[in-house]
Amino acid sequence: MADFSSGFWDLYVAGFTAFGLLLCLVLMFANRGTQSSGAPQMKGHVWDETLKEYNNPLPRWWFYLFLGTVVFSVAYLVIYPGFGSMNSTPGKDKGLRVEHAKEVKDAQTLDKYLSVNLATLATDKNAMATGQRLFVTYCAQCHGSSGKGSKGYPDLTDNDWLYGGDPETIKTSIEGGRSGMMAPFGTGEPLNSDQVKDLANYVRSLSGLSADSARAAQGKEVFAARCVTCHGQDGKGALAMGAGALGAPDLTDKVWLFGDSEETIIEGITKGRNAGPGSLANEMPAWKDFLGDAKVHVLAAYVYSLSK
């Protein structure tokens, strides 16, 4: 709406809408007709050598049904309103002009927050009320309205971060998105099914989950050979190694993005994550171009506030 704020566009849209409705009425009444007695009248068209079309009028119930839809459309467009600014009544909170004025005012309000430090902004109640509305509009589909996430989408309230939970890193994540990848390791290449199962048992043991001790012991050797580059020698993830850009999770903190069952962990090791066909994908899209700097800034402060 903000891109088409000129009064010309009100008339443009309203004119085409009214023309379409009027054309519907003209066509309906022009083709209404009545059933004449005598021999059936034909349209004159012939298909497949012998297939012809009768020139019969619409049944009355069908004609009145079409007429009713046009009447309903006019009423709906007046109430909505769909005929531009004609319903922008002075002193009343309705109409496209009023809505546009609100949008402009909100944008100007957000711009003033750009100069405010994110940690400070996270304590501003008015800014966070706006941030919550933005979050519900753009982020709740994946992270939930409360920010607690769901399978494959991280909980933003628990202080467990794949890339870092400081305000600037959160803003970077929102601006440019995230697409961390877990490489596939099975089956057969480079790990066979027994090695994958051993590794899954060792990974479960890292966070205190029940595991086959014999398999976990063998899985520890596989982990040291294949997994420490991203998850670290002790499995505490990339952030513990100062390599937050990798996004490799801490396997010891009892926080699981896709689930902690042996089957789920085996699936992750075997197929990978964000690693092509067969693997589960859950990339974080980039929002900077779509939302703009001001909205991203307020959103980053709000997400930061969720875990504080």
Side-chain angles (χ1 to χ4, degrees):
M1 181 167 57
D3 294 331
F4 299 98
S5 57
S6 168
F8 164 77
W9 294 108
D10 287 333
L11 296 176
Y12 178 84
V13 173
F16 266 85
T17 304
F19 175 77
L21 292 172
L22 181 61
L23 184 61
C24 286
L25 288 173
V26 170
L27 290 174
M28 285 165 52
F29 281 96
N31 291 279
R32 183 181 182 185
T34 56
Q35 183 71 51
S36 59
S37 59
Q41 296 182 3
M42 310 300 292
K43 283 284 190 180
H45 309 300
V46 180
W47 296 274
D48 267 353
E49 298 182 356
T50 59
L51 187 60
K52 299 180 181 180
E53 180 184 0
Y54 283 116
N55 187 19
N56 291 332
L58 285 175
R60 285 188 178 276
W61 68 268
W62 202 343
F63 171 80
Y64 288 123
L65 180 63
F66 279 136
L67 185 61
T69 60
V70 173
V71 173
F72 172 82
S73 299
V74 172
Y76 179 85
L77 289 168
V78 169
I79 296 171
Y80 181 75
F83 285 127
S85 61
M86 62 170 59
N87 284 334
S88 295
T89 306
K92 292 186 178 181
D93 191 20
K94 72 180 291 190
L96 298 184
R97 283 290 172 199
V98 175
E99 292 300 320
H100 172 64
K102 287 182 180 178
E103 186 175 317
V104 172
K105 184 178 180 180
D106 287 345
Q108 292 170 344
T109 300
L110 292 179
D111 285 340
K112 76 178 182 181
Y113 292 136
L114 278 171
S115 60
V116 182
N117 176 275
L118 285 169
T120 303
L121 188 60
T123 63
D124 185 317
K125 291 184 178 180
N126 291 330
M128 292 304 92
T130 300
Q132 183 180 34
R133 290 194 294 272
L134 292 172
F135 187 89
V136 169
T137 301
Y138 300 110
C139 312
Q141 293 84 349
C142 294
H143 296 284
S145 58
S146 64
K148 289 189 174 296
S150 60
K151 183 178 180 180
Y153 302 99
D155 185 342
L156 303 176
T157 69
D158 61 3
N159 276 311
D160 188 85
W161 301 91
L162 290 177
Y163 298 92
D166 62 279
E168 289 301 328
T169 300
I170 293 173
K171 184 175 181 178
T172 298
S173 296
I174 298 172
E175 284 180 331
R178 297 292 185 183
S179 57
M181 185 190 78
M182 163 74 177
F185 283 91
T187 57
E189 197 54 52
L191 303 178
N192 59 44
S193 58
D194 280 335
Q195 289 174 310
V196 169
K197 192 164 186 176
D198 293 342
L199 184 55
N201 276 271
Y202 176 68
V203 169
R204 280 175 57 83
S205 73
L206 287 175
S207 59
L209 296 170
S210 60
D212 184 311
S213 58
R215 282 193 174 276
Q218 297 179 74
K220 184 176 181 179
E221 297 179 5
V222 178
F223 189 89
R226 298 289 183 181
C227 311
V228 297
T229 303
C230 295
H231 294 283
Q233 190 70 40
D234 53 6
K236 288 190 175 295
L239 281 179
M241 300 187 294
L246 289 177
D250 183 346
L251 303 175
T252 70
D253 61 2
K254 298 181 175 61
V255 177
W256 299 88
L257 194 57
F258 292 95
D260 61 5
S261 69
E262 183 178 327
E263 293 77 13
T264 299
I265 295 173
I266 286 176
E267 180 189 38
I269 297 170
T270 303
K271 299 179 179 179
R273 304 297 187 197
N274 293 329
S279 67
L280 289 179
N282 67 325
E283 294 186 13
M284 163 75 176
W287 289 97
K288 182 177 180 179
D289 291 341
F290 183 79
L291 295 179
D293 292 333
K295 287 183 179 179
V296 166
H297 194 74
V298 175
L299 260 178
Y302 177 74
V303 172
Y304 177 72
S305 75
L306 290 177
S307 61
K308 299 301 176 184

